[in-house]
Amino acid sequence: MEGTDRAVMTDTWLKKHRLIYLGATRHPFILGIRDGSVDLSSFKRWLGQDYIFVRAFVPFVASVLLKAWKESDDNADIDVILGGVAALNDEIAWFKTEASKWGVALESVVPQQINLNYCRFLESLTSPDVDYTQAITAFWAVETVYQESFAHCLEEGSKTPEELKQTCHRWGNDGFGQYCHTLKSIADRRLEKASKEVVAKAELNLLSILEHEVEFWNMSHGAV
Ligand SMILES: Cc1ncc(CO)c(N)n1
C-alpha cells in the first residue's frame, strides 16, 4: 500500500516547513474567529478580497484541469478537479449572498497589492512550462490552508460567533476535508514519480503559497 514504507512527500514538507505552515493555518485572524474576538471590519475586508481571489482562482483551476487531461496517468483525477470547479461555482454564489448580508459591495472592492501578487503568482503557474505535478501540488496547498484554518474554528472548545460559523463550514466541513485529502493523494502519487527538478520546484511553490497565504490573512487587519 501507498505510503507504508516510504516518506510521503507532502507530509515531509509540512513537517520541514511547520512554522510557516502554522503561520498560514493558525494566523491571528483565524484565532480571532475561533475565540470570537475578531473585528468584524476585518472579516468584511477579508470577504471582499477573497471574492476577488476566488474569481482569479477559477482560471488557475481550469489550467490544472487542462494539465490533468493532457498529462495524468489516472482518469479519476479529472473528476476530482471538476468537483473543485463545481465547488468554486458554489463559492462564488455564496460570496455574493454573504456580501449582501454584511453590506459589502463586491463591485466596488479594490484589490489590494498583496491580493494582486498572489493572483499573479497563481497565474504564473498556468504557464504550459509548469507541469501537472507542480500544478496539482499547488492546488492542494491552496485549498488545504483554508481547510485547516477554518476547520480549526469549528473544533471542540472553539467560540466562533454564530454569524461566522457558516463561513467556517464552507471550508472546514468534512466533505471539503475529504476533497483536500484526495488532492493530497494525487499530488503525492505524482511527486513520487517526478524528477528531482520538478519535486524541488513544487516545494518552492508550496513555500510561496504559504507566504502568500500569511500575507493574505495579514491584509484583513487593514494596515497594508
Ligand atoms: C486566499 C485564499 N486561499 C485559499 C482559498 C481556498 O479556496 C481561498 N478561497 N482564498
Side-chain angles (χ1 to χ4, degrees):
M1 284 292 288
E2 166 196 334
T4 48
D5 60 357
R6 89 167 83 193
V8 173
M9 195 57 77
T10 55
D11 291 335
T12 305
W13 287 343
L14 293 187
K15 262 182 228 152
K16 183 174 165 192
H17 306 300
R18 186 167 165 76
L19 278 183
I20 174 91
Y21 186 64
L22 287 176
T25 56
R26 299 290 184 264
H27 188 275
F29 177 70
I30 283 296
L31 299 178
I33 292 177
R34 193 184 198 269
D35 69 16
S37 69
V38 69
D39 172 11
L40 289 179
S41 69
S42 295
F43 179 79
K44 290 194 222 176
R45 202 172 297 120
W46 164 79
L47 190 76
Q49 292 297 319
D50 209 45
Y51 172 72
I52 294 171
F53 174 85
V54 166
R55 292 195 72 93
F57 195 44
V58 174
F60 167 74
V61 179
S63 82
V64 181
L65 187 74
L66 183 63
K67 282 167 184 162
W69 175 65
K70 288 187 178 166
E71 297 174 49
S72 182
D73 48 319
D74 187 340
N75 278 333
D77 292 6
I78 297 278
D79 303 64
V80 177
I81 301 160
L82 188 57
V85 174
L88 283 174
N89 185 44
D90 289 350
E91 234 170 76
I92 285 174
W94 175 83
F95 270 103
K96 290 176 183 166
T97 314
E98 195 68 13
S100 76
K101 225 163 77 184
W102 290 95
V104 174
L106 292 177
E107 334 62 67
S108 45
V109 174
V110 178
Q112 299 216 15
Q113 193 57 47
I114 284 172
N115 197 353
L116 294 172
N117 293 346
Y118 195 4
C119 293
R120 196 165 308 133
F121 173 73
L122 288 181
E123 189 179 353
S124 75
L125 298 181
T126 66
S127 157
D129 301 336
V130 173
D131 78 340
Y132 174 53
T133 303
Q134 285 182 68
I136 193 79
T137 305
F139 186 30
W140 156 75
V142 175
E143 296 287 54
T144 297
V145 167
Y146 263 43
Q147 203 280 325
E148 288 261 347
S149 299
F150 285 112
H152 188 54
C153 302
L154 298 172
E155 282 167 2
E156 241 181 72
S158 58
K159 301 189 194 80
T160 299
E162 209 50 51
E163 66 269 31
L164 301 181
K165 277 193 180 157
Q166 215 208 350
T167 300
C168 300
H169 270 286
R170 173 141 290 279
W171 291 279
N173 76 78
D174 291 342
F176 198 77
Q178 189 52 52
Y179 158 70
C180 289
H181 190 81
T182 307
L183 291 177
K184 182 180 188 294
S185 308
I186 299 173
D188 282 318
R189 186 192 83 225
R190 297 289 308 192
L191 288 163
E192 211 172 305
K193 295 181 197 146
S195 69
K196 270 201 187 105
E197 289 71 24
V198 165
V199 171
K201 282 183 194 164
E203 185 177 7
L204 286 177
N205 292 337
L206 168 65
L207 284 174
S208 297
I209 288 164
L210 295 176
E211 283 162 12
H212 282 298
E213 289 287 345
V214 172
E215 289 287 301
F216 203 93
W217 294 131
N218 286 344
M219 203 167 43
S220 67
H221 294 139
V224 284

